[in-house]
mmCIF file of all heavy atoms in Angstrom:
data_model
loop_
_atom_site.group_PDB
_atom_site.id
_atom_site.type_symbol
_atom_site.label_atom_id
_atom_site.label_comp_id
_atom_site.label_asym_id
_atom_site.label_seq_id
_atom_site.Cartn_x
_atom_site.Cartn_y
_atom_site.Cartn_z
ATOM 1 N N PHE A 1 -2.696 -19.340 7.173
ATOM 2 C CA PHE A 1 -4.144 -18.902 7.479
ATOM 3 C C PHE A 1 -4.081 -17.475 8.049
ATOM 4 O O PHE A 1 -3.106 -17.167 8.673
ATOM 5 C CB PHE A 1 -4.738 -19.905 8.304
ATOM 6 C CG PHE A 1 -5.001 -21.253 7.670
ATOM 7 C CD1 PHE A 1 -4.106 -22.279 7.936
ATOM 8 C CD2 PHE A 1 -6.113 -21.493 6.944
ATOM 9 C CE1 PHE A 1 -4.319 -23.500 7.254
ATOM 10 C CE2 PHE A 1 -6.361 -22.754 6.355
ATOM 11 C CZ PHE A 1 -5.425 -23.727 6.526
ATOM 12 N N PRO A 2 -5.237 -16.739 7.979
ATOM 13 C CA PRO A 2 -5.259 -15.384 8.590
ATOM 14 C C PRO A 2 -4.813 -15.313 10.023
ATOM 15 O O PRO A 2 -4.108 -14.439 10.439
ATOM 16 C CB PRO A 2 -6.754 -15.025 8.375
ATOM 17 C CG PRO A 2 -7.212 -15.751 7.204
ATOM 18 C CD PRO A 2 -6.497 -17.079 7.219
ATOM 19 N N ALA A 3 -5.162 -16.332 10.873
ATOM 20 C CA ALA A 3 -4.714 -16.379 12.215
ATOM 21 C C ALA A 3 -3.232 -16.437 12.493
ATOM 22 O O ALA A 3 -2.686 -16.107 13.508
ATOM 23 C CB ALA A 3 -5.470 -17.469 13.015
ATOM 24 N N GLN A 4 -2.523 -16.918 11.409
ATOM 25 C CA GLN A 4 -1.085 -17.057 11.477
ATOM 26 C C GLN A 4 -0.369 -15.750 10.900
ATOM 27 O O GLN A 4 0.864 -15.760 10.792
ATOM 28 C CB GLN A 4 -0.632 -18.211 10.621
ATOM 29 C CG GLN A 4 -1.204 -19.568 11.171
ATOM 30 C CD GLN A 4 -0.883 -20.709 10.243
ATOM 31 O OE1 GLN A 4 -1.185 -20.685 9.024
ATOM 32 N NE2 GLN A 4 -0.276 -21.779 10.751
ATOM 33 N N LEU A 5 -1.126 -14.828 10.496
ATOM 34 C CA LEU A 5 -0.602 -13.585 9.941
ATOM 35 C C LEU A 5 -0.876 -12.316 10.887
ATOM 36 O O LEU A 5 -1.844 -12.321 11.551
ATOM 37 C CB LEU A 5 -1.226 -13.222 8.626
ATOM 38 C CG LEU A 5 -1.127 -14.378 7.515
ATOM 39 C CD1 LEU A 5 -1.956 -13.981 6.308
ATOM 40 C CD2 LEU A 5 0.283 -14.569 7.114
ATOM 41 N N SER A 6 0.025 -11.353 10.854
ATOM 42 C CA SER A 6 -0.236 -10.177 11.578
ATOM 43 C C SER A 6 -1.281 -9.282 10.915
ATOM 44 O O SER A 6 -1.717 -9.612 9.877
ATOM 45 C CB SER A 6 1.128 -9.344 11.645
ATOM 46 O OG SER A 6 1.466 -8.882 10.341
ATOM 47 N N GLY A 7 -1.655 -8.282 11.659
ATOM 48 C CA GLY A 7 -2.712 -7.383 11.041
ATOM 49 C C GLY A 7 -2.279 -6.754 9.756
ATOM 50 O O GLY A 7 -3.059 -6.679 8.726
ATOM 51 N N GLY A 8 -1.022 -6.375 9.676
ATOM 52 C CA GLY A 8 -0.541 -5.770 8.451
ATOM 53 C C GLY A 8 -0.427 -6.796 7.354
ATOM 54 O O GLY A 8 -0.739 -6.414 6.182
ATOM 55 N N GLU A 9 -0.054 -7.949 7.639
ATOM 56 C CA GLU A 9 -0.055 -8.981 6.670
ATOM 57 C C GLU A 9 -1.424 -9.322 6.131
ATOM 58 O O GLU A 9 -1.622 -9.583 4.907
ATOM 59 C CB GLU A 9 0.626 -10.251 7.173
ATOM 60 C CG GLU A 9 2.181 -10.022 7.422
ATOM 61 C CD GLU A 9 2.905 -11.181 8.128
ATOM 62 O OE1 GLU A 9 2.151 -11.907 8.931
ATOM 63 O OE2 GLU A 9 4.008 -11.413 7.940
ATOM 64 N N GLN A 10 -2.399 -9.434 7.042
ATOM 65 C CA GLN A 10 -3.771 -9.699 6.612
ATOM 66 C C GLN A 10 -4.340 -8.592 5.694
ATOM 67 O O GLN A 10 -4.932 -8.826 4.675
ATOM 68 C CB GLN A 10 -4.634 -9.848 7.819
ATOM 69 C CG GLN A 10 -4.430 -11.021 8.620
ATOM 70 C CD GLN A 10 -5.458 -11.200 9.782
ATOM 71 O OE1 GLN A 10 -6.617 -11.274 9.612
ATOM 72 N NE2 GLN A 10 -4.896 -11.199 10.999
ATOM 73 N N GLN A 11 -3.916 -7.282 6.007
ATOM 74 C CA GLN A 11 -4.373 -6.263 5.085
ATOM 75 C C GLN A 11 -3.663 -6.348 3.749
ATOM 76 O O GLN A 11 -4.202 -5.980 2.628
ATOM 77 C CB GLN A 11 -4.041 -4.890 5.740
ATOM 78 C CG GLN A 11 -4.601 -3.711 5.026
ATOM 79 C CD GLN A 11 -6.080 -3.663 4.872
ATOM 80 O OE1 GLN A 11 -6.696 -4.605 4.238
ATOM 81 N NE2 GLN A 11 -6.758 -2.721 5.501
ATOM 82 N N ARG A 12 -2.425 -6.792 3.734
ATOM 83 C CA ARG A 12 -1.698 -6.983 2.479
ATOM 84 C C ARG A 12 -2.365 -8.107 1.601
ATOM 85 O O ARG A 12 -2.383 -8.057 0.431
ATOM 86 C CB ARG A 12 -0.247 -7.292 2.675
ATOM 87 C CG ARG A 12 0.555 -5.921 2.986
ATOM 88 C CD ARG A 12 2.045 -6.168 2.923
ATOM 89 N NE ARG A 12 2.548 -6.702 4.230
ATOM 90 C CZ ARG A 12 3.727 -7.337 4.305
ATOM 91 N NH1 ARG A 12 4.490 -7.569 3.274
ATOM 92 N NH2 ARG A 12 4.093 -7.797 5.496
ATOM 93 N N VAL A 13 -2.879 -9.134 2.300
ATOM 94 C CA VAL A 13 -3.625 -10.175 1.575
ATOM 95 C C VAL A 13 -4.825 -9.571 0.973
ATOM 96 O O VAL A 13 -5.239 -9.864 -0.142
ATOM 97 C CB VAL A 13 -4.012 -11.332 2.601
ATOM 98 C CG1 VAL A 13 -4.924 -12.354 1.878
ATOM 99 C CG2 VAL A 13 -2.778 -12.048 3.109
ATOM 100 N N ALA A 14 -5.535 -8.659 1.797
ATOM 101 C CA ALA A 14 -6.712 -8.028 1.200
ATOM 102 C C ALA A 14 -6.393 -7.195 0.027
ATOM 103 O O ALA A 14 -7.119 -7.064 -1.014
ATOM 104 C CB ALA A 14 -7.357 -7.108 2.293
ATOM 105 N N ILE A 15 -5.190 -6.515 -0.017
ATOM 106 C CA ILE A 15 -4.718 -5.735 -1.137
ATOM 107 C C ILE A 15 -4.485 -6.735 -2.326
ATOM 108 O O ILE A 15 -4.898 -6.488 -3.533
ATOM 109 C CB ILE A 15 -3.529 -4.932 -0.812
ATOM 110 C CG1 ILE A 15 -3.880 -3.870 0.193
ATOM 111 C CG2 ILE A 15 -2.934 -4.301 -2.038
ATOM 112 C CD1 ILE A 15 -2.667 -3.144 0.799
ATOM 113 N N ALA A 16 -3.790 -7.866 -2.057
ATOM 114 C CA ALA A 16 -3.540 -8.798 -3.125
ATOM 115 C C ALA A 16 -4.793 -9.338 -3.728
ATOM 116 O O ALA A 16 -4.883 -9.472 -4.948
ATOM 117 C CB ALA A 16 -2.628 -9.944 -2.528
ATOM 118 N N ARG A 17 -5.735 -9.581 -2.895
ATOM 119 C CA ARG A 17 -7.063 -10.005 -3.387
ATOM 120 C C ARG A 17 -7.755 -9.005 -4.275
ATOM 121 O O ARG A 17 -8.266 -9.370 -5.344
ATOM 122 C CB ARG A 17 -7.960 -10.365 -2.201
ATOM 123 C CG ARG A 17 -9.376 -10.794 -2.581
ATOM 124 C CD ARG A 17 -10.174 -11.044 -1.255
ATOM 125 N NE ARG A 17 -10.250 -9.928 -0.490
ATOM 126 C CZ ARG A 17 -10.658 -9.854 0.807
ATOM 127 N NH1 ARG A 17 -10.993 -11.023 1.379
ATOM 128 N NH2 ARG A 17 -10.733 -8.719 1.492
ATOM 129 N N ALA A 18 -7.544 -7.746 -3.956
ATOM 130 C CA ALA A 18 -8.185 -6.648 -4.769
ATOM 131 C C ALA A 18 -7.454 -6.485 -6.082
ATOM 132 O O ALA A 18 -8.052 -6.354 -7.179
ATOM 133 C CB ALA A 18 -8.172 -5.334 -4.025
ATOM 134 N N VAL A 19 -6.054 -6.575 -6.046
ATOM 135 C CA VAL A 19 -5.338 -6.248 -7.295
ATOM 136 C C VAL A 19 -5.234 -7.430 -8.177
ATOM 137 O O VAL A 19 -4.984 -7.329 -9.377
ATOM 138 C CB VAL A 19 -3.938 -5.744 -6.980
ATOM 139 C CG1 VAL A 19 -4.000 -4.482 -6.131
ATOM 140 C CG2 VAL A 19 -3.052 -6.811 -6.302
ATOM 141 N N ALA A 20 -5.551 -8.665 -7.658
ATOM 142 C CA ALA A 20 -5.504 -9.878 -8.489
ATOM 143 C C ALA A 20 -6.551 -9.809 -9.608
ATOM 144 O O ALA A 20 -6.389 -10.531 -10.622
ATOM 145 C CB ALA A 20 -5.704 -11.091 -7.620
ATOM 146 N N LYS A 21 -7.583 -9.028 -9.498
ATOM 147 C CA LYS A 21 -8.590 -8.918 -10.533
ATOM 148 C C LYS A 21 -8.043 -8.028 -11.703
ATOM 149 O O LYS A 21 -8.744 -7.897 -12.654
ATOM 150 C CB LYS A 21 -9.785 -8.160 -9.981
ATOM 151 C CG LYS A 21 -10.498 -8.958 -8.859
ATOM 152 C CD LYS A 21 -11.534 -8.051 -8.179
ATOM 153 C CE LYS A 21 -12.572 -7.490 -9.146
ATOM 154 N NZ LYS A 21 -13.606 -6.706 -8.437
ATOM 155 N N ARG A 22 -6.850 -7.407 -11.470
ATOM 156 C CA ARG A 22 -6.398 -6.413 -12.486
ATOM 157 C C ARG A 22 -7.378 -5.305 -12.705
ATOM 158 O O ARG A 22 -7.781 -4.934 -13.791
ATOM 159 C CB ARG A 22 -6.010 -7.025 -13.751
ATOM 160 C CG ARG A 22 -4.983 -8.218 -13.720
ATOM 161 C CD ARG A 22 -4.534 -8.707 -15.075
ATOM 162 N NE ARG A 22 -3.888 -9.941 -15.155
ATOM 163 C CZ ARG A 22 -2.575 -10.081 -14.944
ATOM 164 N NH1 ARG A 22 -1.806 -9.045 -14.721
ATOM 165 N NH2 ARG A 22 -2.011 -11.273 -15.023
ATOM 166 N N PRO A 23 -7.830 -4.669 -11.648
ATOM 167 C CA PRO A 23 -8.896 -3.688 -11.746
ATOM 168 C C PRO A 23 -8.442 -2.366 -12.340
ATOM 169 O O PRO A 23 -7.216 -2.036 -12.208
ATOM 170 C CB PRO A 23 -9.326 -3.458 -10.291
ATOM 171 C CG PRO A 23 -8.042 -3.636 -9.474
ATOM 172 C CD PRO A 23 -7.415 -4.834 -10.215
ATOM 173 N N ASP A 24 -9.247 -1.649 -12.971
ATOM 174 C CA ASP A 24 -8.975 -0.295 -13.460
ATOM 175 C C ASP A 24 -8.967 0.655 -12.320
ATOM 176 O O ASP A 24 -8.237 1.680 -12.406
ATOM 177 C CB ASP A 24 -9.988 0.103 -14.526
ATOM 178 C CG ASP A 24 -9.989 -0.787 -15.653
ATOM 179 O OD1 ASP A 24 -8.936 -1.196 -16.197
ATOM 180 O OD2 ASP A 24 -11.096 -1.264 -16.146
ATOM 181 N N LEU A 25 -9.693 0.396 -11.339
ATOM 182 C CA LEU A 25 -9.975 1.308 -10.169
ATOM 183 C C LEU A 25 -9.708 0.557 -8.863
ATOM 184 O O LEU A 25 -10.317 -0.498 -8.737
ATOM 185 C CB LEU A 25 -11.359 1.898 -10.212
ATOM 186 C CG LEU A 25 -11.720 2.776 -11.421
ATOM 187 C CD1 LEU A 25 -13.305 2.766 -11.608
ATOM 188 C CD2 LEU A 25 -11.194 4.116 -11.338
ATOM 189 N N LEU A 26 -8.958 1.090 -7.987
ATOM 190 C CA LEU A 26 -8.737 0.500 -6.655
ATOM 191 C C LEU A 26 -9.137 1.494 -5.642
ATOM 192 O O LEU A 26 -8.599 2.629 -5.516
ATOM 193 C CB LEU A 26 -7.232 0.092 -6.510
ATOM 194 C CG LEU A 26 -6.841 -0.507 -5.134
ATOM 195 C CD1 LEU A 26 -7.644 -1.814 -4.918
ATOM 196 C CD2 LEU A 26 -5.342 -0.758 -5.098
ATOM 197 N N PHE A 27 -10.184 1.199 -4.839
ATOM 198 C CA PHE A 27 -10.708 2.081 -3.839
ATOM 199 C C PHE A 27 -10.432 1.495 -2.445
ATOM 200 O O PHE A 27 -10.765 0.378 -2.102
ATOM 201 C CB PHE A 27 -12.267 2.203 -3.989
ATOM 202 C CG PHE A 27 -12.682 2.914 -5.237
ATOM 203 C CD1 PHE A 27 -13.756 2.396 -6.021
ATOM 204 C CD2 PHE A 27 -12.018 4.002 -5.762
ATOM 205 C CE1 PHE A 27 -14.193 3.096 -7.184
ATOM 206 C CE2 PHE A 27 -12.379 4.688 -6.895
ATOM 207 C CZ PHE A 27 -13.448 4.213 -7.616
ATOM 208 N N CYS A 28 -9.720 2.310 -1.611
ATOM 209 C CA CYS A 28 -9.308 1.948 -0.304
ATOM 210 C C CYS A 28 -9.910 2.859 0.766
ATOM 211 O O CYS A 28 -9.610 4.047 0.785
ATOM 212 C CB CYS A 28 -7.811 1.945 -0.263
ATOM 213 S SG CYS A 28 -6.946 1.134 -1.618
ATOM 214 N N ASP A 29 -10.700 2.273 1.589
ATOM 215 C CA ASP A 29 -11.413 3.088 2.664
ATOM 216 C C ASP A 29 -10.695 2.857 4.029
ATOM 217 O O ASP A 29 -10.851 1.831 4.647
ATOM 218 C CB ASP A 29 -12.854 2.654 2.709
ATOM 219 C CG ASP A 29 -13.727 3.638 3.584
ATOM 220 O OD1 ASP A 29 -13.062 4.504 4.246
ATOM 221 O OD2 ASP A 29 -14.981 3.550 3.432
ATOM 222 N N GLU A 30 -9.928 3.823 4.473
ATOM 223 C CA GLU A 30 -9.228 3.796 5.729
ATOM 224 C C GLU A 30 -8.448 2.478 5.849
ATOM 225 O O GLU A 30 -8.558 1.772 6.817
ATOM 226 C CB GLU A 30 -10.174 3.882 6.924
ATOM 227 C CG GLU A 30 -10.861 5.245 7.008
ATOM 228 C CD GLU A 30 -9.985 6.462 7.501
ATOM 229 O OE1 GLU A 30 -8.783 6.223 7.791
ATOM 230 O OE2 GLU A 30 -10.527 7.478 7.740
ATOM 231 N N PRO A 31 -7.602 2.163 4.870
ATOM 232 C CA PRO A 31 -6.891 0.817 4.948
ATOM 233 C C PRO A 31 -5.936 0.623 6.103
ATOM 234 O O PRO A 31 -5.507 -0.436 6.334
ATOM 235 C CB PRO A 31 -6.176 0.823 3.527
ATOM 236 C CG PRO A 31 -5.947 2.284 3.207
ATOM 237 C CD PRO A 31 -7.196 2.926 3.715
ATOM 238 N N THR A 32 -5.484 1.789 6.667
ATOM 239 C CA THR A 32 -4.545 1.668 7.807
ATOM 240 C C THR A 32 -5.207 2.032 9.155
ATOM 241 O O THR A 32 -4.555 2.095 10.100
ATOM 242 C CB THR A 32 -3.395 2.601 7.616
ATOM 243 O OG1 THR A 32 -3.848 3.948 7.554
ATOM 244 C CG2 THR A 32 -2.672 2.298 6.268
ATOM 245 N N GLY A 33 -6.497 2.164 9.117
ATOM 246 C CA GLY A 33 -7.236 2.566 10.320
ATOM 247 C C GLY A 33 -7.088 1.662 11.541
ATOM 248 O O GLY A 33 -7.151 2.154 12.709
ATOM 249 N N ALA A 34 -6.869 0.367 11.298
ATOM 250 C CA ALA A 34 -6.759 -0.595 12.388
ATOM 251 C C ALA A 34 -5.327 -0.965 12.737
ATOM 252 O O ALA A 34 -5.064 -1.895 13.472
ATOM 253 C CB ALA A 34 -7.560 -1.869 12.089
ATOM 254 N N LEU A 35 -4.366 -0.262 12.091
ATOM 255 C CA LEU A 35 -3.018 -0.620 12.255
ATOM 256 C C LEU A 35 -2.149 0.406 12.935
ATOM 257 O O LEU A 35 -2.498 1.581 12.919
ATOM 258 C CB LEU A 35 -2.392 -0.799 10.832
ATOM 259 C CG LEU A 35 -3.107 -1.761 9.937
ATOM 260 C CD1 LEU A 35 -2.568 -1.707 8.504
ATOM 261 C CD2 LEU A 35 -3.040 -3.180 10.478
ATOM 262 N N ASP A 36 -1.083 0.006 13.521
ATOM 263 C CA ASP A 36 -0.104 0.926 14.157
ATOM 264 C C ASP A 36 0.618 1.707 13.104
ATOM 265 O O ASP A 36 0.586 1.334 11.880
ATOM 266 C CB ASP A 36 0.913 0.261 15.195
ATOM 267 C CG ASP A 36 1.690 -0.714 14.383
ATOM 268 O OD1 ASP A 36 2.645 -0.344 13.730
ATOM 269 O OD2 ASP A 36 1.479 -1.958 14.547
ATOM 270 N N VAL A 37 1.331 2.819 13.497
ATOM 271 C CA VAL A 37 1.984 3.636 12.545
ATOM 272 C C VAL A 37 2.953 2.918 11.575
ATOM 273 O O VAL A 37 2.866 3.071 10.334
ATOM 274 C CB VAL A 37 2.705 4.818 13.221
ATOM 275 C CG1 VAL A 37 3.510 5.614 12.296
ATOM 276 C CG2 VAL A 37 1.652 5.685 13.924
ATOM 277 N N GLU A 38 3.830 2.148 12.122
ATOM 278 C CA GLU A 38 4.787 1.503 11.259
ATOM 279 C C GLU A 38 4.211 0.440 10.331
ATOM 280 O O GLU A 38 4.602 0.354 9.205
ATOM 281 C CB GLU A 38 5.896 0.850 12.187
ATOM 282 C CG GLU A 38 6.887 1.833 12.822
ATOM 283 C CD GLU A 38 7.458 2.806 11.819
ATOM 284 O OE1 GLU A 38 7.916 2.418 10.679
ATOM 285 O OE2 GLU A 38 7.362 4.121 12.090
ATOM 286 N N THR A 39 3.218 -0.310 10.857
ATOM 287 C CA THR A 39 2.527 -1.237 10.003
ATOM 288 C C THR A 39 1.717 -0.545 8.932
ATOM 289 O O THR A 39 1.723 -0.940 7.700
ATOM 290 C CB THR A 39 1.590 -2.170 10.834
ATOM 291 O OG1 THR A 39 2.425 -2.831 11.892
ATOM 292 C CG2 THR A 39 0.972 -3.237 9.993
ATOM 293 N N GLY A 40 1.224 0.592 9.321
ATOM 294 C CA GLY A 40 0.416 1.373 8.349
ATOM 295 C C GLY A 40 1.260 1.970 7.212
ATOM 296 O O GLY A 40 0.895 1.894 6.063
ATOM 297 N N ARG A 41 2.464 2.281 7.557
ATOM 298 C CA ARG A 41 3.511 2.744 6.482
ATOM 299 C C ARG A 41 3.722 1.614 5.498
ATOM 300 O O ARG A 41 3.733 1.904 4.289
ATOM 301 C CB ARG A 41 4.765 3.055 7.135
ATOM 302 C CG ARG A 41 4.887 4.479 7.856
ATOM 303 C CD ARG A 41 6.311 4.515 8.378
ATOM 304 N NE ARG A 41 6.459 5.589 9.363
ATOM 305 C CZ ARG A 41 6.676 6.874 9.083
ATOM 306 N NH1 ARG A 41 6.796 7.254 7.879
ATOM 307 N NH2 ARG A 41 6.806 7.738 10.107
#
């Protein structure tokens, strides 16, 4: 569950959710804004 995941892992779930649609376009608005540097990398 989200509460069992780190912030970076939760953001990766959000990415997985977006790409699971097989979209032609992927738009990311400040996807690392809430993360520390290493997690953002």
Side-chain angles (χ1 to χ4, degrees):
F1 292 94
Q4 298 172 309
L5 302 172
S6 68
E9 288 171 335
Q10 290 184 60
Q11 188 62 296
R12 281 190 278 160
V13 173
I15 295 170
R17 180 179 57 195
V19 302
K21 295 168 59 176
R22 303 186 195 273
D24 301 314
L25 300 157
L26 180 61
F27 293 140
C28 310
D29 193 347
E30 297 281 7
T32 63
L35 305 173
D36 62 74
V37 170
E38 288 309 311
T39 305
R41 284 182 195 270

